[in-house]
Amino acid sequence: MELTLWTYEGPPHIGAMRIATSMEGVHYLLHAPQGDTYADLLFTMIERRGSRPPVTFTTFQARDLGGDTAELVKRNLREVVDRFQPKALLVGESCTAELIQDQPGALASGMGFNVPVVSVELPAYSKKENWGASETFYQLVRGMLNKSPSEESDQERSPTAWKSQGRRPRVNLLGPTLLGFRCRDDIIELEKLLDIHGIDVNVVAPLKASPADLMRLPKADLNVCLYPEIAESTCLWLERNYGMAFSKTVPIGVGATKDFLEELHQLLEMPAAEPGQGAQHLRLPWYSQSVDSNYLTGKRVFIFGDGTHALAAARIADQELGFKVVGLGTYSREMARPVRAAAKELGLEALISDDYLAVEAAMSEAAPELVLGTQMERHSAKRLGIPCAVISTPMHVQDVPARYSPQMGWEGANVIFDSWVHPLMMGLEEHLIGMFRHDFEFVDGHQSHLGHLGGQQRQSEEHQAQTEHSSTQPHEVPSSEESPLWTPEGEAELAKIPFFVRGKVRRNTETYARQAGCRHIDSETVYDAKVHFRA
Amino acid sequence: MSSTTLLKESGPREVFCGLTSIVWLHRRMPDAFFLVVGSRTCAHLIQSAAGVMIFAEPRFGTAILGERDLAGLADAHDELDRVVNDLLARRPEIRTLFLVGSCPSEVIKLDLARVAERLTGKLNGRVRVLNYSGSGIETTFTQGEDGALNCLVPSMPVSQEAQLLLVGTMANAVEDRLKNLFGRLGIDKVSSLPPRQSTDLPSVGPGTRVLLTQPYLTETAKALRDRGAEILQAPFPLGTEGSRLWMEAAAKAFGINDIHVANTLAPLMVRAQKALIPFKERLTGKKIFLLPESQLEIPLARFLHRECGMELIEVGVPYLNREVMEPELELLPHNTRIVEGQHVDKQLDRVREQSPDLVVCGMGLANPLEAEGIATKWSIEMIFSPIHGIDQAADLAELFSRPLHRRELLNNKLLVSA
Ligand code: SF4
Ligand code: SF4
């Protein structure tokens, strides 16, 4: 049993819904109680999807439990096939149905439908959303391909078949889904990029793919694994069973996009990529180099998100923007290994956690000047008064912009520059306000509302939340040992320090004073402590 | 009984479960914590329904059952003790802890009532631990509040005193206003359930007269009746008419002079009806279809028809409690089509056939209907907005006229059917 206040990921059947809803012609029969239908709003509200997810919930009730819930499943199955005429029927259960063991998958298979039935069993009490999405995608691909063994299946394949067949190489783009971060635009960007390099796209899946498209997957020379959380297991299976190689670089950021192109060219045995090809609109490197970006140097940044986006962000922050990464972590346990490795290279220890309070504590401890995170970190950062940009799911409706804003490829790099630097500029303005605070009325809590879309009511709730927070969780933990006293002079010195590191400086100074045996902290103690901790 | 057409429907539904009511209950009682004992789905539901309102540390959470709990490897009761202890250590300001049952906890038959009793004993009165079920196999959406209030009733102190008890969560400002009005009528002792502090429970006894502020409090009403209270029969305080009848029911029970009541309420009615005029103009003759979700559908339909002139195509309700709804049903026009339960696909077919001007529905359905060119209103908004009482009638009407007004504002050529 585990206490959870907010979760980064939903249960695994939400992952299955993401796959079903991303695709075309798939219907998902989910054995679940009525309350589970809330999941529809994730799609119709966060992503403003204009049609209902193709999911039917059996919505069994307590009174059904005594009777025949299996019959209820069958009735729903018949209706679904009749009404929606899907090209593939996905069948599964949510947490509660798992306990009553009606085995809807087996029921569906026994009903003689003229539709491919793919049953997905997703252990709701041990797995989560991304795992569920990955497993569902894999089961669907496997199910569709096994149902129609094509001539491709036995044949030894090679990524260079395009040469002998006298055509352009073609690849599958695997992993984009609804409720993924900017998948819609990433795909457009990549299709453009690959086209410039003479590579065709065979199938994009699961987003917008039909079951028939899945059956065409083996016609590609190579799989491109865009979001390993979702697509890696499918890529591995296609590699084992169809001999299809897959690429592993995720093209987010300038360096990664270059590496990605190189990897593709190598795997496909194409002549080496022309590095600048198609990159004439890439602006991140120049923007980063231009003189006004000097103030970005060494900015302390804290990164947390899904594995894919956290890793990409760390590399960009470190190598392309000249930031200092002071914290790196992920809630994707499946991606813990690479994230740990990346953190180690940056001299950090990775934070692998799905407890947002632990993440907030780590953030506060690291005293960053910029936070790159999920919507949870946006809220934590806001409470701590630190600028923040959202780089990963889970997200809010405002993280699904109307404008084209990919993360991948060259344009993705441009978008990233803008969206990370913008909150910092706002932060800088605040800092200037701080410097001139004696010139006019200045309130410390006066930060810009970064990405704020909420109305008055929400704002006051946030304020309520803040006051609650400070009353229940005092920032200065009263220690049993005697705390040194701040003299007015010491306080005045402290007040000169920018608000976003002030808490840390206060703590450090007190620790130093205790160690050094000072009972009072004056301005000299603050300087002494500064030197002490710098050394 | 009026001659409304009552139909029943069953099939796949699209409605929240009772856990959802935690979203407003925890805000009403800042010294209470709602601990759902359930699955990751339950945690995800509340968080999604709460939407953008992320709090520093919310006063609700989920004890997520894991495989070990299900396999009996860990004693679920011990585990729950551990979680509760951790939680209370972290949140010393909590005075009432609600253990909220879910579908998984019901199906594995976790006896939360026993756990609650044991924990209350162990905590020595420092924190009261209560229990109710918000599970989706037993409750829909607002029914969760019924469960929560119902489990508070046994702790309410006894009193013989004549008093009015308002039962059901309302916006604080609206509640203050109504209390003030009852005072003007001459009813001075007015208390509320839920109270604003969980420890501040109102008393109950033979002198207590109860006005329900919300139509979904069946079990709570029964429990209060068992404690000697009289449940006053009235329509619900939505719109000028419902609110007036609701207040008059109390005045009558307290033996207050009719003329005084009329004199007090008449100016309010005149003002409120005047404020309604512009909205009524926009809404009159427009067709409305209410999908079942909050249980407020029938009182809303009554208001929208009688005071705003809207034509009722269909009024869906998750379930129908005739006793509670009787005064409302009597005010509905003959042959109003009321459908209890749901088959969401068939119901949406009917929506499309009837092409209503406005559909009241849950958050999951709104954008898909909008994309088909049908204006919608979220039913959950009625739960969060201050809509009760005579003075609020125009605000309530405005909620329904806004989507129509917006469509007029937007250039028709720009509207898409996605
Ligand atoms: S319907 Fe049941 S399982 Fe689903 S969220 Fe509600 S209580 Fe939890
Ligand atoms: S809209 Fe409100 S909840 Fe959402 S990010 Fe802004 S402040 Fe936070």
Side-chain angles (χ1 to χ4, degrees):
Chain A
M1 205 176 284
E2 167 206 353
L3 176 66
T4 300
L5 302 174
W6 298 103
T7 84
Y8 286 94
E9 290 180 76
H13 72 260
I14 298 289
M17 285 185 69
R18 281 171 57 188
I19 302 299
T21 310
S22 297
M23 290 184 60
E24 272 155 27
V26 175
H27 200 95
Y28 185 22
L29 188 283
L30 185 64
H31 197 22
Q34 59 192 358
D36 293 9
T37 59
Y38 77 87
D40 284 1
L41 75 86
L42 303 172
F43 298 91
T44 64
M45 284 185 56
I46 296 178
E47 286 204 319
R48 299 177 213 251
R49 190 183 142 88
S51 54
R52 295 178 62 208
V55 182
T56 296
F57 301 79
T58 58
T59 58
F60 58 88
Q61 292 174 283
R63 61 164 178 266
D64 300 319
L65 290 179
D68 198 353
T69 43
E71 196 37 58
L72 178 75
V73 174
K74 287 199 201 156
R75 193 168 64 230
N76 273 288
L77 280 165
R78 274 190 293 268
E79 277 191 36
V80 160
V81 172
D82 213 41
R83 175 180 278 268
F84 299 102
Q85 310 204 331
K87 298 283 179 287
L89 181 61
L90 206 56
V91 183
E93 46 199 6
S94 77
C95 53
T96 310
E98 187 179 328
L99 298 172
I100 58 178
Q101 301 189 326
D102 282 325
Q103 309 204 303
L107 290 175
S109 307
M111 288 173 72
F113 292 129
N114 200 8
V115 187
V117 173
V118 176
S119 155
V120 274
E121 279 175 32
L122 308 171
Y125 297 92
S126 55
K127 301 291 188 188
K128 294 183 204 155
E129 177 177 337
N130 278 338
W131 185 89
S134 161
E135 175 70 11
T136 304
F137 183 43
Y138 156 70
Q139 292 290 356
L140 258 173
V141 167
R142 210 179 90 157
M144 292 313 296
L145 286 173
N146 282 350
K147 266 166 193 125
S148 62
S150 63
E151 51 328 334
E152 260 106 350
S153 54
D154 319 302
Q155 184 185 314
E156 194 38 52
R157 313 174 43 81
S158 106
T160 55
W162 59 278
K163 290 188 183 167
S164 54
Q165 291 171 14
R167 54 169 172 82
R168 303 210 319 176
R170 56 181 178 232
V171 300
N172 298 319
L173 303 183
L174 301 184
T177 59
L178 292 180
L179 293 177
F181 197 71
R182 308 283 165 86
C183 292
R184 175 195 74 193
D185 297 340
D186 281 350
I187 291 305
I188 301 174
E189 186 62 20
L190 276 193
E191 284 182 324
K192 273 194 247 166
L193 181 66
L194 293 177
D195 183 53
I196 290 169
H197 285 267
I199 301 171
D200 288 336
V201 173
N202 179 51
V203 170
V204 177
L207 195 60
K208 298 224 166 81
S210 67
D213 289 334
L214 298 187
M215 287 155 74
R216 293 195 295 115
L217 285 173
K219 294 210 185 315
D221 302 305
L222 184 74
N223 286 319
V224 173
C225 181
L226 281 184
Y227 306 92
E229 280 95 338
I230 310 294
E232 197 179 49
S233 51
T234 301
C235 288
L236 284 167
W237 184 82
L238 288 167
E239 185 176 59
R240 268 199 315 278
N241 289 274
Y242 289 81
M244 298 179 77
F246 68 95
S247 70
K248 297 172 185 77
T249 315
V250 178
I252 303 180
V254 179
T257 301
K258 282 190 178 139
D259 291 353
F260 167 79
L261 288 170
E262 239 166 63
E263 186 185 10
L264 250 56
H265 282 77
Q266 262 171 24
L267 286 169
L268 292 163
E269 292 184 25
M270 298 170 75
E274 193 58 59
Q277 204 174 326
Q280 54 276 32
H281 299 297
L282 171 65
R283 296 188 190 89
L284 180 144
W286 167 240
Y287 271 49
S288 190
Q289 180 193 339
S290 66
V291 65
D292 52 79
S293 287
N294 259 309
Y295 81 97
L296 299 177
T297 313
K299 284 272 176 213
R300 302 167 59 83
V301 48
F302 180 92
I303 301 170
F304 194 87
D306 65 13
T308 300
H309 292 91
L311 283 169
R315 177 169 177 184
I316 298 167
D318 183 54
Q319 297 174 13
E320 296 171 24
L321 295 172
F323 290 162
K324 178 165 174 51
V325 181
V326 294
L328 174 61
T330 181
Y331 58 84
S332 320
R333 288 197 189 265
E334 297 88 348
M335 299 280 282
R337 267 240 314 264
V339 174
R340 282 209 177 95
K344 203 166 159 213
E345 258 180 43
L346 293 163
L348 297 165
E349 197 180 324
L351 174 63
I352 313 294
S353 172
D354 59 2
D355 175 359
Y356 85 101
L357 289 172
V359 180
E360 177 171 321
M363 180 191 301
S364 156
E365 182 56 35
E369 292 159 275
L370 175 68
V371 170
L372 303 173
T374 73
Q375 58 151 320
M376 315 281 200
E377 284 65 56
R378 170 174 38 221
H379 289 277
S380 298
K382 194 175 215 169
R383 277 195 292 278
L384 297 170
I386 306 167
C388 175
V390 169
I391 58 156
S392 155
T393 55
M395 58 188 177
H396 274 169
V397 63
Q398 71 265 37
D399 303 314
V400 186
R403 66 181 183 277
Y404 180 60
S405 35
Q407 300 289 288
M408 293 186 173
W410 307 132
E411 185 58 20
N414 295 339
V415 168
I416 285 174
F417 183 92
D418 287 350
S419 41
W420 297 8
V421 168
H422 177 75
L424 266 177
M425 303 217 304
M426 310 273 287
L428 189 74
E429 279 161 20
E430 276 148 17
H431 191 69
L432 291 175
I433 294 173
M435 284 168 62
F436 295 115
R437 80 181 117 191
H438 298 298
D439 294 1
F440 57 87
E441 238 187 335
F442 174 84
V443 191
D444 236 8
H446 228 161
Q447 289 109 39
S448 57
H449 277 228
L450 307 162
H452 194 284
L453 295 179
Q456 280 301 324
Q457 194 194 348
R458 270 177 212 146
Q459 226 167 321
S460 60
E461 268 157 14
E462 291 261 329
H463 288 155
Q464 187 203 346
Q466 279 181 15
T467 35
E468 280 166 21
H469 185 65
S470 47
S471 61
T472 57
Q473 292 237 297
H475 279 289
E476 262 63 64
V477 186
S479 77
S480 47
E481 33 177 327
E482 214 183 324
S483 287
L485 289 173
W486 286 81
T487 64
E489 193 205 356
E491 287 281 7
E493 196 60 48
L494 189 67
K496 291 181 200 156
I497 289 159
F499 64 89
F500 42 85
V501 282
R502 203 178 295 151
K504 182 160 185 167
V505 172
R506 182 187 282 277
R507 275 198 305 278
N508 283 351
T509 309
E510 285 170 2
T511 314
Y512 168 79
R514 242 177 257 128
Q515 283 168 8
C518 314
R519 305 280 304 278
H520 297 276
I521 298 176
D522 56 16
S523 61
E524 287 311 310
T525 327
V526 177
Y527 281 107
D528 288 346
K530 198 169 160 191
V531 172
H532 174 84
F533 280 102
R534 179 157 279 177
Chain B
M1 174 98 256
S2 72
S3 58
T4 42
T5 316
L6 296 179
L7 300 164
K8 281 197 185 198
E9 195 168 58
S10 67
R13 292 178 159 215
E14 174 98 14
V15 62
F16 287 134
C17 62
L19 295 185
T20 321
S21 43
I22 293 172
V23 175
W24 62 91
L25 283 170
H26 86 279
R27 294 184 49 208
R28 171 72 184 188
M29 292 178 281
D31 62 341
F33 194 99
F34 292 80
L35 181 63
V36 176
V37 182
S39 63
R40 185 165 300 280
T41 316
C42 308
H44 202 230
L45 162 110
I46 305 178
Q47 146 173 0
S48 308
V52 294
M53 296 179 289
I54 294 208
F55 292 83
E57 268 206 62
R59 288 180 307 274
F60 54 81
T62 308
I64 297 187
L65 296 162
E67 268 176 339
R68 284 162 43 83
D69 304 294
L70 298 179
L73 292 176
D75 185 337
H77 293 112
D78 292 347
E79 281 286 283
L80 197 50
D81 278 18
R82 180 182 57 79
V83 168
V84 167
N85 284 336
D86 288 357
L87 178 73
L88 293 177
R90 205 191 163 97
R91 309 295 297 271
E93 79 284 10
I94 297 304
R95 288 287 153 271
T96 304
L97 175 67
F98 290 91
L99 297 179
V100 189
S102 66
C103 304
S105 79
E106 300 287 322
V107 170
I108 64 168
K109 303 210 159 43
L110 208 57
D111 189 350
L112 293 181
R114 239 186 54 214
V115 177
E117 205 176 307
R118 199 190 59 235
L119 282 171
T120 302
K122 242 174 76 180
L123 292 162
N124 234 334
R126 189 170 66 79
V127 178
R128 181 168 43 210
V129 185
L130 298 169
N131 134 269
Y132 70 93
S133 171
S135 85
I137 53 177
E138 293 155 318
T139 63
T140 69
F141 196 18
T142 49
Q143 254 177 316
E145 177 170 345
D146 193 21
L149 300 190
N150 184 32
C151 82
L152 281 170
V153 173
S155 312
M156 290 165 68
V158 187
S159 146
Q160 310 295 323
E161 203 186 346
Q163 62 162 340
L164 177 62
L165 181 61
L166 306 180
V167 179
T169 303
M170 288 183 289
N172 287 353
V174 168
E175 180 194 333
D176 290 340
R177 170 73 178 159
L178 288 172
K179 284 187 176 172
N180 175 288
L181 292 179
F182 281 120
R184 282 200 221 163
L185 288 179
I187 306 172
D188 293 321
K189 176 105 200 315
V190 187
S191 37
S192 310
L193 182 71
R196 292 185 193 184
Q197 290 292 320
S198 71
T199 45
D200 212 5
L201 284 176
S203 57
V204 65
T208 306
R209 277 146 187 144
V210 170
L211 271 183
L212 299 179
T213 67
Q214 303 281 11
Y216 44 75
L217 300 169
T218 320
E219 296 303 316
T220 309
K222 267 191 216 145
L224 289 167
R225 188 182 299 144
D226 290 346
R227 296 225 23 205
E230 181 192 350
I231 314 296
L232 303 178
Q233 286 281 313
F236 292 91
L238 299 176
T240 66
E241 183 188 31
S243 304
R244 177 177 59 78
L245 291 169
W246 184 78
M247 297 193 77
E248 283 175 0
K252 192 162 159 242
F254 282 83
I256 290 161
N257 174 305
D258 283 355
I259 297 172
H260 174 58
V261 175
N263 285 345
T264 312
L265 297 184
L268 300 182
M269 291 294 286
V270 171
R271 189 178 58 196
Q273 278 158 357
K274 195 169 145 217
L276 265 175
I277 293 171
F279 305 113
K280 186 174 176 169
E281 269 165 19
R282 200 181 293 281
L283 293 172
T284 292
K286 294 283 191 317
K287 296 188 286 182
I288 188 162
F289 196 123
L290 297 105
L291 293 182
E293 199 180 45
S294 67
Q295 285 298 115
L296 289 172
E297 293 83 8
I298 290 178
L300 287 175
R302 181 259 304 153
F303 165 69
L304 292 170
H305 175 71
R306 292 175 65 100
E307 295 188 55
C308 303
M310 292 190 88
E311 191 187 323
L312 306 175
I313 302 292
E314 179 168 321
V315 184
V317 278
Y319 57 95
L320 184 68
N321 182 301
R322 280 161 189 266
E323 197 189 327
V324 172
M325 284 300 182
E326 195 56 46
E328 288 285 351
L329 293 173
E330 274 163 14
L331 295 174
L332 283 180
H334 291 307
N335 295 323
T336 303
R337 186 184 161 89
I338 297 182
V339 178
E340 180 185 9
Q342 188 175 37
H343 186 303
V344 64
D345 296 310
K346 291 186 184 164
Q347 200 162 32
L348 290 175
D349 287 347
R350 294 198 294 275
V351 167
R352 292 177 190 116
E353 267 160 39
Q354 304 280 341
S355 51
D357 298 291
L358 188 64
V359 173
V360 179
C361 63
M363 294 198 281
L365 293 174
N367 265 338
L369 287 171
E370 291 280 352
E372 288 181 33
I374 299 170
T376 61
K377 184 82 229 158
W378 288 332
S379 51
I380 198 169
E381 253 187 283
M382 312 307 149
I383 307 285
F384 290 125
S385 311
I387 55 172
H388 294 86
I390 298 172
D391 307 298
Q392 303 299 320
D395 287 358
L396 180 57
E398 198 272 342
L399 285 180
F400 292 89
S401 79
R402 194 181 309 161
L404 302 178
H405 179 48
R406 180 156 186 80
R407 293 203 153 226
E408 284 164 24
L409 288 176
L410 299 180
N411 183 337
N412 243 322
K413 290 189 196 103
L414 290 180
L415 288 180
V416 288
S417 288

